[in-house]
Amino acid sequence: MQLSKSYIIFLFTVMVLSIGEARADYPIGKRRTAITGTFNYFYSDKFFDANGKLTNNFPGDYFQSTFYSLNVMHGLGRRIDLTATLPFAKQTLVNGNNSETRAGITDINIGLSFHFPSVDYKRYFTLKTAVGVPAYQNNQTPYLGFASKAVMLGANYSFTPYKNGYAILEFMYTRFLDSQDGPNQYRGSLTIGKMYNKHTSVTASLAHLVSQSVNTAFNPNLQLNKNFNAATLNVSVGRKINRSITPTIQAYYTLLGRNAGLGLGVNFFVTVRLP
Amino acid sequence: MIIKLKPYKKDGVFYSGEKIKYSVSIANKYKVKQEGTFTAIVETEMGQVVSKTQVKLKIAPKGQRSFQIEIPKPEKEGIYNLRAATNTSTYDDTAQYAFGYEIGRINTPYYLPPDFDEFWQTAMSDLAKVDPQYKITRSEEHSTKYHDVYRVDMVGLDEFPFYGFLSIPKLKGKYPVIIGYGGYKKEVFPLLFDEFISFAVNVRGIDKKYQKEFNPDDKEQIMINAEDKNAYVYKGIYMDCIRAVDFVYSHEHMGMDLSRVLAFGGSQGATMGLVTAALVPDKINAVIASNPVFADWKNSFAVGKSKRVLTFPSDAIVRYLRDNPDFTEEQMLETFNYFDLQNFMPKIQCPVLYAVGLQDDFISPGSAIAAYNKLRMDARAASELYIFPDLGHEIPVYHNSFIGIWFAEQAVKRRKR
């Protein structure tokens, strides 16, 4: 049952960071706003054990979640963006005859991005900083996350690798503050995309998250593990349907990991750019 | 010999609190030693020498010398040409550079006709009386998978016909509008923007079909009817620009967001955009003006005439005055003052993105900057001036990218209607 829970943490951490990466991380523009609403469905009945070996849950055991979030990006200046994310999750864990469901607002994130363009404005170096505040307490399983405040620091480099293409090389560091054993999380990702035509983009992203903690002891209750890693691949297709609205569908899959859940997830998000 | 001069500030603009410094690098590609001098001669736009800074040179065969020079500060604000003369044993060369000094203080006298406002109010009233006769025809030739393009024919002052290309993105939505004006006698083609509806305006004189009516005596355009301010060609041209705005404002149903209308152009198109924003300040949100022309005719013409080799428009004017001795420079300027960009600048109320190349042979860069300085304080505070010391009548490619960013920024703010 609990084997899937560690993935919840991983899932949300990754998702919050990956939303908005469907295109190069250019500044949104002074006084412009982009609002992204996300719906995610995730299902898992396997996990990677401490040795990275893919293991099946007991028959009939699974983890399922639906996740909604609202992300707002606003251009405070020509090169500074404010980002805020309000996530809501509903998750169900089935273990034998026992089924648990919990829903609520999870980790609220507020951050700033500072963009530094190249002379030709085609490449950007971006510094990111954010804080995460949990809007829940871990007093009922299945847990929605670490229930810990967090600070995030990161940097990325957006560039054009080929005609009509875009790419982002990013590194993020997250420190969970409320517990002495963290964890510290390091995430590296490479996103490559191409405008298939003027309105349609296809994006692939490879990300690896390493969660490290002095608490390295393996616990069969994976939610207590703070030491895990996982690599995911996600592919998305977005299509602009009018001047302001771009819906995007994204699928992701865990390629490998340790103490992490395996599953296939689907994101559907709609970005509205204002004005 | 390869000589490189780089100003300590990328934009080549210096202020009284700082030194005017250049780094100089001279590479001797010869197999013989070079001895001689490097001289930085600073001149006003009119060619008066204000300082000379000399450095003795000794460069070994195939050697290189790098050094810094400090230019004495000029007494007055302005744009200065810097001639870098290298004279050595076997090599003589002079390269041209330019820098600005205290450009925010550059000012030129107004030659504002007392009836300037009345003149243009009358022109606008006269235009309003002319039925525009809009004719919108879909252009299959220019339409694309993503844009519908229409040729819009209309008539302006004196019932003179002209046209433009209206490009509308096919994706549904209400779009901000960009009105684009072209350079001197240059046809502009449809501008295909994803985030904007664009209207590329070809004022009178562009359509070859009406060339005979436009210029029956085959004069240089700038001199057509220069003898009479009421018949001067630019009265009709500037009113065509206003008619293009009229067209936009009467076709909101085509998806245009009339609370966000911007104008842009380069060279003469920049001037037309600025004049339009001055004449209908309540209808234009922002203007992009790269390398504007026709600013302070008196000074510009004086600078133009002072050059060793005459360039346009000074050469055309000199020729015209020579061929028409009964028409004096003073008389010409009396007409031109009604059309001088600097007289329109204080009437602009919106932000302007303004670019000037300091080695522009077609204008006096100092006059162009002086015109920018004549923006109202509030408009100037919201505007941006970009200086390119190594460029002539052009802007760098990267500035074009910035123009896109700036436009998007300006299109955010809705104008009250």
Side-chain angles (χ1 to χ4, degrees), chain B residues 298-318:
Chain B
K298 190 178 170 68
N299 186 56
S300 289
F301 186 44
V303 169
K305 279 191 299 183
S306 71
K307 290 186 176 166
R308 291 177 189 89
V309 180
L310 287 187
T311 54
F312 183 83
S314 302
D315 59 347
I317 296 172
V318 166

Side-chain angles (χ1 to χ4, degrees), chain B residues 78-299:
Chain B
I79 300 302
Y80 292 90
N81 294 317
L82 191 160
R83 279 193 292 127
T86 307
N87 307 102
T88 61
S89 330
T90 59
Y91 186 85
D92 285 304
D93 184 38
T94 303
Q96 192 75 39
Y97 299 86
F99 67 89
Y101 182 65
E102 286 288 355
I103 61 167
R105 295 210 313 247
I106 297 176
N107 207 350
T108 48
Y110 275 114
Y111 304 101
L112 184 69
D115 61 340
F116 181 82
D117 289 342
E118 193 188 329
F119 176 82
W120 286 108
Q121 274 163 16
T122 306
M124 301 271 283
S125 302
D126 291 346
L127 177 69
K129 289 174 197 153
V130 178
D131 176 6
Q133 299 171 44
Y134 300 128
K135 187 180 156 206
I136 303 171
T137 316
R138 187 180 151 83
S139 169
E140 296 301 336
E141 180 195 351
H142 293 108
S143 292
T144 68
K145 192 177 170 186
Y146 305 105
H147 290 85
D148 290 316
V149 177
Y150 303 90
R151 178 182 162 116
V152 180
D153 287 280
M154 62 197 115
V155 298
L157 213 54
D158 306 320
E159 308 265 336
F160 205 94
F162 68 102
Y163 70 100
F165 287 111
L166 181 71
S167 309
I168 304 177
K170 283 186 177 173
L171 278 186
K172 280 183 184 172
K174 218 167 170 69
Y175 288 85
V177 184
I178 291 180
I179 304 175
Y181 299 110
Y184 188 76
K185 299 199 284 189
K186 292 267 185 261
E187 184 179 16
V188 282
F189 292 97
L191 304 158
L192 306 178
F193 298 119
D194 295 336
E195 294 277 321
F196 296 89
I197 286 177
S198 74
F199 189 37
V201 184
N202 287 298
V203 293
R204 63 188 62 197
I206 302 294
D207 197 336
K208 297 282 175 278
K209 213 163 47 174
Y210 302 105
Q211 200 53 229
K212 210 162 189 182
E213 293 86 339
F214 176 73
N215 190 1
D217 301 326
D218 199 23
K219 291 179 180 174
E220 182 59 51
Q221 176 174 299
I222 203 169
M223 300 310 293
I224 298 173
N225 297 335
E227 292 81 358
D228 177 1
K229 66 178 188 287
N230 285 305
Y232 183 49
V233 66
Y234 276 87
K235 184 178 174 187
I237 287 175
Y238 288 175
M239 285 300 100
D240 290 350
C241 298
I242 302 302
R243 178 110 296 171
V245 176
D246 292 342
F247 169 77
V248 166
Y249 273 79
S250 57
H251 289 79
E252 186 177 12
H253 62 277
M254 294 183 87
M256 302 188 203
D257 181 348
L258 298 184
S259 63
R260 296 183 286 166
V261 179
L262 306 102
F264 93 101
S267 190
Q268 179 189 275
T271 302
M272 293 196 289
L274 292 164
V275 168
T276 302
L279 290 175
V280 286
D282 54 332
K283 291 183 173 173
I284 302 293
N285 291 47
V287 183
I288 303 264
S290 304
N291 312 109
V293 295
F294 310 157
D296 187 355
W297 269 112
K298 190 178 170 68
N299 186 56

